[in-house]
């Protein structure tokens, strides 16, 4: 709790330009919390997590700045929320090291994301990838977060965070708040336009599978035109028609319409018309975000100022927890 408010923490990796999936599944829902007086929100650019997969330094820098500006361009208020870079708060890797010593190999071995990512990057199965969930536990526990909005894919990591926190508290007393999954308005899970059986992803090798937040209207329309559907030409919402279902999900998430309403609206129309309508709706949704982004990315002084203020705010809360942890573990405080 901070000043009687519950604490919420989330973030995204700066591994590329974020997708419509990241936006509809996470960022847009965070923006809805701007005016919730009962929640203190921390949103990080998770750049430390990003290097578990090899990154080009210049691109990582660019992607980090882009993501930070997109947080604000999408509507996250940098005064009401704390928007910061994970690498600007050294307490994250410091706490992660300590928590590593309270985490068992067997627990990490069970993590399905590690298995998936290790298979995908077989040439670089580094220990950072293996201990990723411990850094994530540090991210969450440093801010004494009560709530963490998580997709199904991250539930296992939240569970391990709770296990580590409970283990630590069991030895040293009540140091950490035990976080819960935040089940606010559930964000849509957006699938790849080229393979609706897998989620839309910023690091997808097929550029036509993902709508990136900075894609221009022509690109958006072209990608939707190429979206994989099926051959029966019927607009219906069910699991046998994953391509159409995904297009309707996107349409509803963007317009706020219901699935039934959307299915009625498109009844009797061809797939071409559906794709065009979804493309138009997405382009309309992203246009103001892109306009604001262009303003922000050209105002380095303003963004740098926000970055500094927010890093100081995040560090204040993170260091408070870290100091407590270090004292409990038995480290000597540096004399003032
Ligand atoms: N397709 C999606 N639909 C809905 N939500 C999604 N999220 C990601 N993809 C979709 C949500 O976005 C947040 C940030 O994700 P992340 O950057 O930490 O990493 P990720 O989940 O691994 O996202 P990507 O785009 O697939 O990244 P890469 O390609 O680097 O692995 C999370 O809240 C996530 O649920």
């Amino acid at each position: 709790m901070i000043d009687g408010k519950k604490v919420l923490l989330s973030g995204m990796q700066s591994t590329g330009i974020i997708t419509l999936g990241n936006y509809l599944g996470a960022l847009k829902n965070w923006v809805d919390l701007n005016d919730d007086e009962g929640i203190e929100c921390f949103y990080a650019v998770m750049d430390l997590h990003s290097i578990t997969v090899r990154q080009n330094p210049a691109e990582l820098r660019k992607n980090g700045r882009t993501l930070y500006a997109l947080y604000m361009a999408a509507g996250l208020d940098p005064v009401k929320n704390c928007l910061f870079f994970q690498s600007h708060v050294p307490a994250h890797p410091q706490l992660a090291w300590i928590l590593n010593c309270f985490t068992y190999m067997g627990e990490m071995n069970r993590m399905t994301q590690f298995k998936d990512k290790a298979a995908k990057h077989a040439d670089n199965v580094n220990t950072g990838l293996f201990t990723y969930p411990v850094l994530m536990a540090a991210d969450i526990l440093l801010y004494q977060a009560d709530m963490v909005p998580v997709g199904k894919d991250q539930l296992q990591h939240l569970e391990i965070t709770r296990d580590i926190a409970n283990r630590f508290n069991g030895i040293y007393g009540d140091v950490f708040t035990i976080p819960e999954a935040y089940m606010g308005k559930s964000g849509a899970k957006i699938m790849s336009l080229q393979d609706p059986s897998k989620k839309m992803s910023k690091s997808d090798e097929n550029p036509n599978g993902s709508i990136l937040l900075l894609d221009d209207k022509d690109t958006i329309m072209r990608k939707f035109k190429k979206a994989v559907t099926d051959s029966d030409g019927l607009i219906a919402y069910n699991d046998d028609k994953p391509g159409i279902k995904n297009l309707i999900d996107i349409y509803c998430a963007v317009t706020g319409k219901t699935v039934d309403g959307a299915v009625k609206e498109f009844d009797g129309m061809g797939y071409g018309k559906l794709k065009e309508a979804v493309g138009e709706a997405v382009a309309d949704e992203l246009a103001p975000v892109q306009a604001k982004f262009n303003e922000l990315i050209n105002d380095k002084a303003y963004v740098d100022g926000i970055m500094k203020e927010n890093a100081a705010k995040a560090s204040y809360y993170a260091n408070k927890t870290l100091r407590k942890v270090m004292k409990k573990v038995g480290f000597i405080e540096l004399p003032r």
Side-chain angles (χ1 to χ4, degrees):
M1 291 282 223
I2 292 179
D3 299 335
K5 296 181 184 180
K6 290 206 165 190
V7 176
L8 179 146
L9 178 123
S10 199
M12 290 184 190
Q13 298 186 67
S14 43
T15 40
I17 296 176
I18 55 170
T19 70
L20 186 64
N22 301 125
Y23 176 75
L24 295 177
L27 186 48
K28 196 169 153 70
N29 304 317
W30 301 349
V31 173
D32 288 344
L33 296 176
N34 262 342
D35 295 321
D36 191 325
E37 300 287 337
I39 311 180
E40 185 76 35
C41 297
F42 291 82
Y43 300 112
V45 171
M46 299 295 187
D47 49 0
L48 295 178
H49 283 289
S50 302
I51 63 163
T52 51
V53 172
R54 196 70 71 228
Q55 302 292 328
N56 170 303
E59 273 175 30
L60 183 63
R61 260 191 296 275
K62 189 164 180 228
N63 288 334
R65 271 200 173 271
T66 300
L67 180 54
Y68 196 73
L70 276 173
Y71 278 179
M72 287 191 270
L76 283 182
D77 183 326
V79 175
K80 291 181 180 165
N81 303 286
C82 184
L83 310 179
F84 66 102
F85 284 76
Q86 192 186 20
S87 64
H88 288 167
V89 184
H92 287 247
Q94 284 176 290
L95 181 62
W97 169 252
I98 296 171
L99 297 182
N100 264 316
C101 302
F102 292 83
T103 307
Y104 298 113
M105 295 290 287
E107 291 176 311
M108 292 293 98
N109 271 328
R110 287 202 304 273
M111 297 293 118
T112 53
Q113 184 180 294
F114 169 70
K115 290 179 200 162
D116 293 348
K117 288 216 167 175
K120 218 167 144 189
H121 304 280
D123 57 333
N124 181 23
V125 184
N126 58 74
T127 48
L129 196 59
F130 187 67
T131 58
Y132 180 112
V134 182
L135 179 57
M136 183 167 154
D139 301 335
I140 297 167
L141 299 177
L142 270 179
Y143 299 92
Q144 305 289 352
D146 299 276
M147 304 181 287
V148 184
V150 279
K152 268 191 193 147
D153 52 332
Q154 291 291 343
L155 268 179
Q156 205 184 21
H157 291 166
L158 182 63
E159 226 17 77
I160 198 79
T161 300
R162 292 165 54 89
D163 290 346
I164 297 170
N166 275 317
R167 185 172 302 142
F168 196 95
N169 284 356
I171 302 170
Y172 299 107
D174 276 346
V175 177
F176 295 125
T177 301
I178 308 298
E180 305 274 348
Y182 177 69
M183 301 294 183
K185 203 180 116 209
S186 68
K189 185 170 182 195
I190 306 301
M191 311 311 278
S192 159
L193 298 183
Q194 288 297 308
D195 177 0
S197 69
K198 64 176 204 198
K199 73 168 188 158
M200 188 180 279
S201 196
K202 55 179 119 65
S203 56
D204 193 338
E205 275 152 23
N206 184 344
N208 290 323
S210 306
I211 301 291
L212 304 183
L213 241 60
L214 297 178
D215 280 348
D216 59 24
K217 185 166 180 181
D218 285 351
T219 309
I220 293 172
M221 298 307 287
R222 182 173 43 77
K223 287 183 178 176
F224 275 110
K225 211 170 169 182
K226 286 191 177 156
V228 167
T229 49
D230 50 54
S231 55
D232 74 9
L234 205 73
I235 294 179
Y237 185 88
N238 62 58
D239 290 337
D240 295 333
K241 299 172 72 64
I244 299 300
K245 183 170 184 263
N246 191 35
L247 291 175
I248 294 175
D249 276 336
I250 294 173
Y251 186 71
C252 292
V254 165
T255 59
K257 292 182 181 171
T258 62
V259 168
D260 284 349
V263 170
K264 272 196 198 113
E265 187 179 332
F266 294 113
D267 188 33
M269 289 190 198
Y271 289 168
K273 279 264 178 289
L274 171 69
K275 289 177 179 184
E276 203 180 308
V278 182
E280 290 281 351
V282 168
D284 285 352
E285 168 83 12
L286 297 187
V289 177
Q290 295 177 351
K292 186 74 195 157
F293 170 82
N294 288 332
E295 250 175 58
L296 288 166
I297 208 71
N298 289 314
D299 195 348
K300 187 165 181 295
Y302 170 74
V303 174
D304 283 359
I306 297 281
M307 210 186 274
K308 271 197 244 174
E309 274 169 30
N310 280 257
K313 181 176 171 187
S315 297
Y316 169 80
Y317 291 107
N319 287 335
K320 224 165 126 173
T321 301
L322 184 67
R323 274 197 303 275
K324 198 168 170 188
V325 168
M326 291 178 72
K327 202 167 160 190
K328 292 280 185 186
V329 169
F331 296 142
I332 294 167
E333 219 177 327
L334 184 66
R336 284 169 199 252

